[in-house]
Amino acid sequence: MPTKKEKDDLTGQETTGHEWDGIEELNNPLPKWWLYVFYASIVWAVGYMLLFPAIPSLTGYTKGLLGWERRAIVEQDIRQARAAQATYLDGIRETDLSGIMGDPDLLNFSLRGGEAVFADNCAACHGQGGAGRPGGYPALVDDNWLWGGDLENIHHTIAYGVRNEHSDSRSSQMPAFGGMLDRDELRSVTEYVISLAREPEDAELAEAGREVYATQCAACHGDDGGGMTQLGAPTLNNDIWLYGGERGEISRQIANPRHGVMPPWEERLGEEMVKMLTVYVHALGGGE
Amino acid sequence: MSESSIRTEEARSRKQQKGDKLFAGRVKVHPMNVRGTFRRLKWAALGLLLAIYYLVPWIRWDRGPDAPNQAVLIDLPGRRAYFFFIEIWPQEVYYLTGLLILAAIGLFWITSLLGRVWCGYACPQTVWTDLFMLVERWIEGDHNARMKLDKQPTTGSKLAKRTAKHTVWIVIAAATGGAWVLYFKDAPTAVYEIFTLQASLALYGFAALFTAMTYLLAGWAREQVCVYMCPWPRFQAAMFDEDTMVVTYESWRGEPRGKPKKGKAHVSPREVPATPASESRPGLAAIDWEKANELYGEEKVDGLGDCIACNKCVAVCPTGIDIRDGVQLECIGCALCIDACNDVMDRLNRPRNLITYDTLRNQDLRAQGLPPKLRLVRPRTVFYTLLLAVVAGAMLWSLAFRATLDINVLHNRTPLYVTLSDGDIRNGYTVRILNKTREDRAFTLSVAGLEDMRLSVVGAEVSPDQTARLTARPDTTATYRVHVTAPRESLDGTVNSLTFNLNDDLGETAVHDTVFRGPE
C-alpha cells in the first residue's frame, strides 16, 4: 500500500501506484450500480439458502424453510395432466377396443398417446414406428403376426407378454431338433423350409425334407407352413424371417431354436395405456 | 417583448457540452415547451396514436359462437391471429412478414419524401417520451425550472416533485404494459382477471416487462434510444436526396448570427435577397448589399444575418442538438425548432422560417435568389411507390384467394416401406387436413400415381374405387393415418411419385405430391 495518495496529472484521478513503462494504473472506483447489484446478490444468496434446499451434508441436505421439492412439483404436474386427460382416459377404460376404433376422438387420442407410450417403452426392441430389429424382435408394421394380429390378440400379448413369469403370459417352446435329427435330415428339412417361401437351390434335397417336415414340424407350423398363432409358431411360407432367412440362419434355428421374451405391460403401464398401445400397434398397418 | 425573455443562452447542445472529451457521460436534455404548428401536429399525432393503441383491443367483431369476438387478437394458445375479417393460422405467418415488408417500404417511401417524420411523430419511442416529458413539465416546471431543480440539494419539495413524477410515469407505463397484453387475450376478461388477481403469471409477467420497458425507455433512456440504440438513424440517410424535405437552417440568411445592435437597422436577407449577379459570400447572409445600403444608408445597416443567436432552437430540441450545425444523425425531424424560431422571428418582425422545412436543393436555389422548385416525383419515390403497390397488391391477392382448405402429407420414415407376406409393398402416410372454415366439412381422398394400388385409412372406410370419405371439424386440423399398398411389379425403382387429392363437395381441391418408396 502506498502511504501517499498519488494523482494522475492529466485526469486528476487517484492512481494505484502501479506503473509500467510510464503508464499508470488509475484507481477508478467500481461502478455504483455494479457494487449495489453485488451487495444485493449477497443478500439474495443468504435468503435463498435459508428458503430453498442448499447445503449438502453427508446424509442429505438442508430442506429449506419453504419445503420446496422438485419431485413434488413433477408429481403435481403429472396429476394435473392426468386430470386434463380424464375424459379421454375414462372413455378408453369404459369402451372396448372395437368401440375405440369406431370413435374418432378416442381413436385419435389413442393413436397420439399410443405413439408416445410406444416410443418410451417398446421402440427399444421393436424399433421406432414398430419397424422391428434383426435378431428376434418382430416388426409390427407388416401383416405377419406370431401371436395374432386382431385387436384382442395384440392386447393380450401387450398386457401379459411372452414367455415370462406372468400366469397369462404367451408361452410355447420349440424343441431343439439338433439332437433329434441327423445331419442329412437337418439339411434336407432346411431346404424344404426354404422351398415353402421361395425357389430352393436344390429342389431334390428339398423334396427329401418333405417327409421330415410332415412328421416333425407340420403339427405346429402347418402343412403348408402357414404357422399357428395360438402357439406363436411363425409362418414359414413367406419371406419374413424372425431370425434371418439365410440357409445357415434357418438351419441354426431348427437345430437349436432361440425364443424371444417380452415383459407383461399391464401392471406397469395400466389398463388405459395398454389399450392405447393396442390401438396404435393395430393401426401401424398390419392390424387384422 | 423584452429581449431577455427571448434569450436562452444557457441552452447548449449536447455536442457543445461534451466538448472534445474522448468520453463524456450522458448530458441530460431539458427540452423547453414550445407552441406552434408543428407542436400542434405532434400533439394531434400523439393523441391519435395513443387512442388507437388503447382502444383497438376493445373493438368487437362477431365471428360466430365458437370464436373470439375481439376484432384484433393474437390468440397464442388457440394458435390463431384475428384481424377484423382476416383469420390467420400459424403456417400463414407470411402475412405478418408481408405486413412488415409493407411497413418497411412505407417507411422508406415517406422518408424519401418528407424526411424522418416517422421518428418525429409516429415512433412509439417519440410518442411515449413526449407524453412523459409533458408529465415532467406539469410537475417540475419548464426548461429553466427543471435545470434549477437538478442542481438543488435534496429537499422535501424536490423529493415530493420527483416522487410525483415517477409515480405518474409508472402509472402510464403500467397502462401501456397492461394494454399490450390485451392484444393477446380477450380484453374485458383480461382486465377483469388482472384487477381481481386471477390472471396467469405469464400475463402479469409480460405486463410487468412492458411496464418496465416503457418506464425505462420513455422516462430514462429517451433520446439515447434514438442516438445509440436505434439502427434507423444510421441508414436513413440512404433514403435522403437533395429533394427530400428536411428540417434545416437557412444559413445563407442566418449567418453571421449575432445580437441585434443598438441604433443599427437590420436588413433581412429574405427581404433584400441576393441576385445571381451579386457577389455571394459562402455561408453568410446573401444580401444585395448595394441595394440594402441604398435603402437604409450605409451606416445604419447592422450587417448581421437573421439569426439572433437566442438558442431557442437548441432549448426546445428533444434530442439536445443544434440544428444550425446542419443535418445530423440525432435530428428526429420533429420540427419543434421551427416553431420556436418562428415565434422569435414574429416577435422581432423578421420573416419566418429561418429554420425551415425544405429541401436541400431549394436551399441552394433560395441562397442564390432563384425560385424554389419542389420535386416529389423522382426515380426514388416512383420506385418506392411501385414497390409498395406491388407488395400490397400481392398481399391483397393472396388474401382474397386464400384457400380455406389445405392438405399436408408426411411420408412415414420408420420404416420407409414394409414388405408384406405376399410380397406387396406398403407405405404409410400421415395426412393432415386443415379446415379453415367455421363449418364441418367432408372430403373425398383419392391417390394417384401407381397401378393396382390399394388404399386404407385408419378409422375410415375405403370404397371399392379406392377413395375414402374423410371429415374435418370446424377450424381444426384433422389427422389421418393412411396406408397405400402396391404390388411390387407396379414400382419403378426405389422412389415413385404419388399424389394425394382431396376434394370437398363444393369443388375446392387440395393436392399434395409425395413419394412411394420400395426396395431396390
Side-chain angles (χ1 to χ4, degrees):
Chain A
M1 283 291 285
T3 49
K4 186 172 81 111
K5 281 193 177 170
E6 289 173 31
K7 292 219 166 167
D8 176 47
D9 297 335
L10 206 60
T11 57
Q13 182 71 42
E14 189 187 323
T15 72
T16 57
H18 302 157
E19 188 190 323
W20 295 271
D21 298 340
I23 298 170
E24 283 176 290
E25 187 186 5
L26 300 187
N27 189 13
N28 280 307
L30 288 164
K32 277 216 181 75
W33 68 267
W34 190 93
L35 201 63
Y36 291 139
V37 169
F38 179 61
Y39 293 146
S41 307
I42 294 172
V43 174
W44 175 275
V46 171
Y48 188 93
M49 281 166 74
L50 289 175
L51 293 175
F52 289 93
I55 304 164
S57 64
L58 287 176
T59 54
Y61 55 89
T62 56
K63 298 280 191 273
L65 296 172
L66 290 183
W68 185 91
E69 198 188 349
R70 169 54 77 192
R71 185 176 290 274
I73 292 171
V74 171
E75 277 166 6
Q76 198 196 336
D77 286 351
I78 292 174
R79 268 200 304 280
Q80 276 173 359
R82 285 274 182 278
Q85 299 168 339
T87 47
Y88 292 109
L89 293 176
D90 289 349
I92 285 168
R93 200 178 319 112
E94 284 154 18
T95 316
D96 63 8
L97 289 164
S98 55
I100 295 174
M101 295 297 280
D103 181 322
D105 278 341
L106 292 183
L107 175 64
N108 249 323
F109 185 81
S110 300
L111 289 178
R112 292 297 183 88
E115 188 175 5
V117 179
F118 187 92
D120 282 351
N121 298 281
C122 317
C125 293
H126 289 285
Q128 273 302 335
R133 278 182 203 282
Y137 305 105
L140 305 174
V141 282
D142 59 21
D143 59 345
N144 191 52
W145 297 92
L146 292 172
W147 300 95
D150 58 23
L151 285 166
E152 296 308 323
N153 273 321
I154 294 172
H155 183 262
H156 187 99
T157 309
I158 296 173
Y160 308 117
V162 179
R163 298 187 191 97
N164 58 48
E165 273 98 65
H166 197 283
S167 56
D168 288 325
S169 160
R170 303 275 195 195
S171 181
S172 70
Q173 185 91 22
M174 173 171 158
F177 286 95
M180 296 154 71
L181 305 174
D182 64 30
R183 248 179 106 86
D184 288 339
E185 284 171 325
L186 200 56
R187 272 186 61 211
S188 61
V189 81
T190 301
E191 199 65 15
Y192 180 76
V193 168
I194 290 173
S195 78
L196 289 172
R198 56 179 191 249
E199 227 22 68
E201 274 173 35
D202 188 339
E204 215 172 293
L205 185 65
E207 200 48 43
R210 179 189 292 276
E211 183 61 30
V212 183
Y213 180 87
T215 53
Q216 302 289 359
C217 316
C220 293
H221 289 286
D223 288 336
D224 58 350
M228 194 187 285
T229 52
Q230 292 92 325
L231 294 172
T235 317
L236 301 177
N237 61 4
N238 62 28
D239 221 355
I240 300 169
W241 302 94
L242 195 49
Y243 292 96
E246 298 299 316
R247 174 177 287 103
E249 289 167 331
I250 294 170
S251 173
R252 204 174 306 132
Q253 191 63 11
I254 296 171
N256 192 13
R258 283 172 285 171
H259 297 94
V261 294
M262 170 173 155
W265 290 101
E266 186 156 80
E267 248 169 73
R268 179 162 169 178
L269 297 178
E271 190 189 339
E272 303 91 347
M273 297 292 160
V274 169
K275 273 180 152 176
M276 284 157 68
L277 265 179
T278 304
V279 169
Y280 171 73
V281 169
H282 189 270
L284 283 175
E288 289 161 2
Chain B
M1 191 73 232
S2 78
E3 220 174 79
S4 62
S5 72
I6 290 174
R7 308 198 75 79
T8 46
E9 270 159 274
E10 69 273 26
R12 295 162 69 219
S13 69
R14 289 187 310 125
K15 203 165 144 192
Q16 277 176 313
Q17 293 181 57
K18 286 188 174 186
D20 294 332
K21 278 180 267 183
L22 288 175
F23 175 81
R26 184 196 179 195
V27 174
K28 201 171 166 189
V29 183
H30 296 277
M32 184 187 257
N33 195 14
V34 63
R35 285 190 181 80
T37 318
F38 291 103
R39 182 64 265 187
R40 276 199 300 279
L41 261 175
K42 209 157 144 62
W43 285 136
L46 180 137
L48 179 71
L49 293 168
L50 287 180
I52 290 174
Y53 178 71
Y54 285 108
L55 294 181
V56 162
W58 298 94
I59 304 174
R60 301 288 106 182
W61 191 270
D62 186 25
R63 292 190 185 85
D66 297 324
N69 65 346
Q70 184 160 322
V72 178
L73 177 70
I74 297 170
D75 182 5
L76 289 177
R79 306 281 189 275
R80 297 284 181 278
Y82 302 95
F83 185 81
F84 295 95
F85 60 94
I86 306 171
E87 201 172 304
I88 303 230
W89 286 45
Q91 53 269 59
E92 295 171 310
V93 78
Y94 46 75
Y95 283 117
L96 187 66
T97 314
L99 213 59
L100 291 176
I101 292 174
L102 218 53
I105 301 171
L107 190 57
F108 298 165
W109 181 78
I110 197 76
T111 303
S112 68
L113 284 176
L114 300 178
R116 288 172 63 182
V117 283
W118 164 262
C119 299
Y121 296 88
C123 174
Q125 177 62 25
T126 279
V127 170
W128 264 271
T129 301
D130 224 14
L131 187 64
F132 273 45
M133 282 176 178
L134 180 69
V135 171
E136 193 171 55
R137 206 150 50 228
W138 275 343
I139 294 171
E140 296 184 349
D142 205 3
H143 181 71
N144 292 332
R146 292 207 303 276
M147 303 239 292
K148 226 164 97 188
L149 191 72
D150 267 8
K151 286 180 192 138
Q152 265 175 26
T154 311
T155 59
S157 80
K158 181 175 176 174
L159 211 62
K161 276 181 182 170
R162 289 277 202 250
T163 313
K165 178 178 82 174
H166 287 285
T167 309
V168 178
W169 278 1
I170 286 173
V171 169
I172 295 175
T176 308
W180 179 260
V181 298
L182 302 186
Y183 284 88
F184 296 84
K185 194 177 162 71
D186 181 58
T189 321
V191 167
Y192 175 78
E193 284 184 7
I194 287 170
F195 285 107
T196 52
L197 301 179
Q198 291 173 26
S200 68
L201 208 58
L203 200 74
Y204 285 120
F206 275 105
L209 179 70
F210 285 100
T211 301
M213 291 311 283
T214 309
Y215 174 69
L216 284 177
L217 292 182
W220 293 89
R222 293 190 175 178
E223 83 286 346
Q224 297 178 99
V225 174
C226 314
V227 178
Y228 302 115
M229 290 162 69
C230 181
W232 177 229
R234 263 145 251 279
F235 67 89
Q236 45 86 23
M239 316 298 150
F240 281 11
D241 53 33
E242 59 272 35
D243 290 305
T244 302
M245 299 279 281
V246 288
V247 178
T248 187
Y249 166 64
E250 300 193 317
S251 59
W252 56 271
R253 78 161 164 120
E255 302 297 318
R257 63 184 84 153
K259 267 182 166 180
K261 286 174 186 163
K262 281 220 172 78
K264 294 257 185 177
H266 177 71
V267 181
S268 170
R270 256 280 159 96
E271 287 160 341
V272 192
T275 59
S278 66
E279 202 184 332
S280 70
R281 300 186 296 159
L284 299 182
I287 284 183
D288 189 341
W289 293 102
E290 267 178 42
K291 197 173 173 197
N293 292 338
E294 227 171 78
L295 278 173
Y296 295 97
E298 202 161 337
E299 294 300 308
K300 296 276 182 178
V301 175
D302 65 359
L304 292 173
D306 277 346
C307 176
I308 60 157
C310 67
N311 283 5
K312 267 266 164 73
C313 52
V314 179
V316 299
C317 181
T319 64
I321 59 164
D322 188 341
I323 192 66
R324 294 169 300 181
D325 294 343
V327 176
Q328 48 207 294
L329 183 148
E330 291 93 332
C331 175
I332 59 168
C334 67
L336 294 185
C337 46
I338 299 181
D339 283 345
C341 190
N342 280 347
D343 181 43
V344 174
M345 292 295 113
D346 287 350
R347 290 188 203 182
L348 295 175
N349 235 343
R350 297 184 186 193
R352 294 188 130 215
N353 295 329
L354 175 59
I355 299 174
T356 181
Y357 203 46
D358 201 2
T359 71
L360 295 181
R361 182 195 298 281
N362 279 353
Q363 280 301 303
D364 274 353
L365 291 173
R366 285 185 210 277
Q368 293 166 35
L370 297 172
K373 211 174 125 202
L374 193 59
R375 277 182 69 216
L376 291 179
V377 182
R378 316 191 290 276
R380 177 191 298 272
T381 56
V382 170
F383 174 70
Y384 287 143
T385 313
L386 283 178
L387 206 60
L388 208 59
V390 167
V391 176
M395 274 186 70
L396 281 177
W397 188 83
S398 75
L399 208 58
F401 296 98
R402 176 176 176 262
T404 58
L405 164 69
D406 204 353
I407 181 174
N408 231 312
V409 180
L410 289 172
H411 183 258
N412 293 353
R413 302 186 147 266
T414 52
L416 284 173
Y417 64 88
V418 178
T419 310
L420 300 182
S421 51
D422 58 4
D424 285 357
I425 306 299
R426 194 179 62 211
N427 278 215
Y429 301 89
T430 305
V431 174
R432 295 212 168 91
I433 301 171
L434 281 63
N435 176 11
K436 295 181 193 170
T437 65
R438 296 252 164 225
E439 286 139 33
D440 269 314
R441 286 172 89 180
F443 306 96
T444 307
L445 178 77
S446 60
V447 187
L450 293 170
E451 274 176 45
D452 298 327
M453 63 185 167
R454 300 183 304 281
L455 183 71
S456 75
V457 181
V458 175
E461 293 290 316
V462 175
S463 58
D465 62 345
Q466 300 301 319
T467 62
R469 290 290 286 172
L470 306 181
T471 56
R473 295 207 182 128
D475 196 43
T476 52
T477 305
T479 306
Y480 286 96
R481 204 182 160 91
V482 174
H483 296 107
V484 177
T485 310
R488 207 153 170 167
E489 303 83 61
S490 304
L491 305 186
D492 181 24
T494 55
V495 182
N496 302 268
S497 57
L498 196 71
T499 307
F500 280 78
N501 291 298
L502 194 67
N503 299 292
D504 93 332
D505 300 340
L506 301 170
E508 192 168 355
T509 305
V511 179
H512 199 283
D513 291 322
T514 181
V515 293
F516 186 97
R517 288 181 180 272
E520 280 174 29

